[in-house]
Amino acid sequence: MTAIMVPANVEAEAAVLGSILIDPDNAIAKVQAILEPQHFYNLKHQHIYAAFRHVMQRGEHIDYLTVTTELQNQRKLESVGGALYISQLINAVPSAVNVETYARMVYDSWRRRQVINLAEDVAKLAGQHGDDVSSAADYIQARLQELIYAPSTTAPQFQSFAELASTLPKIEWLWQNWLPRGFISLLGAVPGAGKSLLALDLCRRIIHAMPWPDGTPNHEQQNVIYVDGEMVPQILAERAENWNIDLTRLYLMLPNPNDCLDLTRHEYQEKLRSMVSALHPGLVVIDSLSSIQPKGENSVEDVRSLLAYLNDLARTYQTSILLIHHLRKSGGAQMRLPFDMGIDDFRGSGHIIAMARSVMGLS
């Protein structure tokens, strides 16, 4: 007898869960109309989806922190793969736009599994000679009717942009037209041009509610987190002292002793997430992209996961993230005037530029 392969689309299940984490308010409503926890094949996905619903039913916002806390309280966090797996789900899908399509894939796989289960039941009933055949046939027919006319088999509904646009939140700015909240901003220059100095000057303006470089007023004092991947806190300390920066609002993230700061590692991602969650900073400076990850910069695969993490961090806590990056050394970029600098001058994959809402070049 040939074994029947169990229909399951685990990738679609992960995409559903990732979509909810990316856009919980819109995605969960669409998915709930289609899926129940038992529709997921993967048991840990059942637990995670059920946790989403429990968080929502309590009136709380679904995000990384509330979901991991819910699973921890249920003593199921480790069984679903820990907090790391929850954060990885965000990278399972590029956006939440197709969440209904993913949910119907999951539901379709569940229906197929039910048909297989029904076929096995039919085989068992047929082998039980003492039973009334008519009653077995009635049972089979009733089960088939349930599967054929299940309420979630309606045709997919597609939103026009007119419907979608009204649900999109407006972009908020820390510094108007330069540093958006909830997004990554990219600052690029050749080595020695003063990227770190400019970044610290922005920190000073945020901490002391000083006007922005273009004269725009800034009325709110806020905390700042500086992720020093270059590992030269002495330079930052000297500059901050010379500028009389209030150090009680400036928080430095450094690597563990005898280690390098690697934001592709779970322990450092969790450390930064905890700092952002507790301090509510106006700005997080990452100095620099090349120093906080050991992989290359020339392919999407090298940077996608890290940039997705940073985008999620900015979006979840509505903070601005300034990512410092280097320009290519070739072509005399250091000597060019600012208006002659383009996105092609940035080093590495074009995906780095694509993931940033604001891109700035320093000459």
Side-chain angles (χ1 to χ4, degrees):
M1 178 181 292
T2 303
I4 299 175
M5 183 177 294
V6 177
N9 195 331
V10 179
E11 292 80 10
E13 294 180 4
V16 168
L17 300 177
S19 296
I20 295 173
L21 286 169
I22 289 173
D23 186 10
D25 294 335
N26 292 317
I28 190 66
K30 296 174 181 177
V31 173
Q32 278 204 125
I34 301 171
L35 296 178
E36 296 291 330
Q38 65 268 22
H39 293 151
F40 290 81
Y41 176 75
N42 189 307
L43 184 59
K44 64 183 181 182
H45 291 165
Q46 292 184 17
H47 293 326
I48 294 169
Y49 181 58
F52 286 168
R53 306 217 307 185
H54 289 152
V55 169
M56 187 189 68
Q57 287 166 2
R58 288 201 304 270
E60 297 178 10
H61 185 72
I62 297 173
D63 59 29
Y64 169 88
L65 187 59
T66 56
V67 172
T68 53
T69 301
E70 173 67 25
L71 289 165
Q72 184 69 55
N73 292 340
Q74 295 181 11
R75 301 184 183 276
K76 293 178 180 177
L77 184 59
E78 293 306 314
S79 66
V80 303
L84 175 60
Y85 186 72
I86 304 299
S87 64
Q88 289 173 340
L89 285 172
I90 299 170
N91 301 325
V93 63
S95 74
V97 173
N98 295 318
V99 65
E100 286 183 274
T101 301
Y102 304 141
R104 285 190 166 83
M105 290 178 182
V106 173
Y107 185 79
D108 182 66
S109 294
W110 172 80
R111 290 182 72 219
R112 293 173 186 273
R113 292 195 298 274
Q114 298 308 300
V115 172
I116 291 174
N117 292 340
L118 177 57
E120 293 175 348
D121 289 345
V122 170
K124 291 178 182 177
L125 289 170
Q128 296 172 359
H129 301 290
D131 286 355
D132 182 7
V133 175
S134 60
S135 62
D138 291 341
Y139 164 77
I140 294 168
Q141 185 177 9
R143 287 284 306 278
L144 280 173
Q145 291 292 320
E146 291 175 4
L147 292 172
I148 293 171
Y149 297 106
S152 294
T153 58
T154 56
Q157 300 296 313
F158 300 100
Q159 280 187 310
S160 69
F161 190 72
E163 296 170 305
L164 180 63
S166 63
T167 68
L168 299 175
K170 292 183 178 180
I171 295 176
E172 297 182 4
W173 296 89
L174 177 64
W175 175 16
Q176 188 68 34
N177 298 327
W178 291 90
L179 292 175
R181 296 183 184 273
F183 295 91
I184 295 173
S185 296
L186 196 63
L187 172 62
V190 294
K195 300 182 294 295
S196 300
L197 189 66
L198 174 59
L200 189 61
D201 177 59
L202 294 175
C203 296
R204 175 174 68 112
R205 295 171 187 275
I206 294 168
I207 289 172
H208 293 281
M210 297 171 60
W212 296 105
D214 61 356
T216 304
N218 173 30
H219 303 295
E220 183 181 1
Q221 288 183 303
Q222 298 178 78
N223 293 330
V224 172
I225 296 174
Y226 202 106
V227 180
D228 187 14
E230 306 286 347
M231 295 188 294
V232 282
Q234 298 89 342
I235 296 177
L236 288 174
E238 181 179 346
R239 290 172 175 171
E241 183 179 352
N242 290 337
W243 285 349
N244 295 317
I245 294 178
D246 180 3
L247 300 183
T248 64
R249 287 187 174 272
L250 179 60
Y251 293 84
L252 198 62
M253 179 176 173
L254 292 168
N256 299 327
N258 303 315
D259 196 8
C260 292
L261 206 161
D262 180 359
L263 271 181
T264 65
R265 285 162 52 185
H266 175 65
E267 60 182 298
Y268 284 119
Q269 289 187 358
E270 285 304 293
K271 181 177 181 180
L272 180 56
R273 190 180 289 273
S274 297
M275 291 179 70
V276 173
S277 175
L279 299 172
H280 306 289
L283 180 68
V284 177
V285 176
I286 310 289
D287 190 4
S288 59
L289 175 61
S290 61
S291 64
I292 52 92
Q293 59 101 18
K295 299 180 180 180
E297 303 165 355
N298 294 320
S299 69
V300 173
E301 290 75 15
D302 292 333
V303 294
R304 179 175 182 177
S305 178
L306 174 61
L307 294 175
Y309 160 75
L310 293 176
N311 251 330
D312 174 66
L313 191 68
R315 180 175 55 248
T316 300
Y317 298 100
Q318 280 301 292
T319 187
S320 295
I321 292 183
L322 181 64
L323 180 60
I324 295 177
H325 193 34
H326 298 297
L327 298 183
R328 303 181 194 278
K329 294 181 179 179
S330 61
Q334 190 167 11
M335 302 304 295
R336 295 180 185 179
L337 294 173
F339 58 77
D340 195 31
M341 189 182 298
I343 60 175
D344 291 334
D345 291 316
F346 281 81
R347 200 170 73 185
S349 167
H351 190 65
I352 300 170
I353 300 290
M355 294 290 280
R357 175 63 180 83
S358 176
V359 180
M360 298 171 277
L362 179 65
S363 175

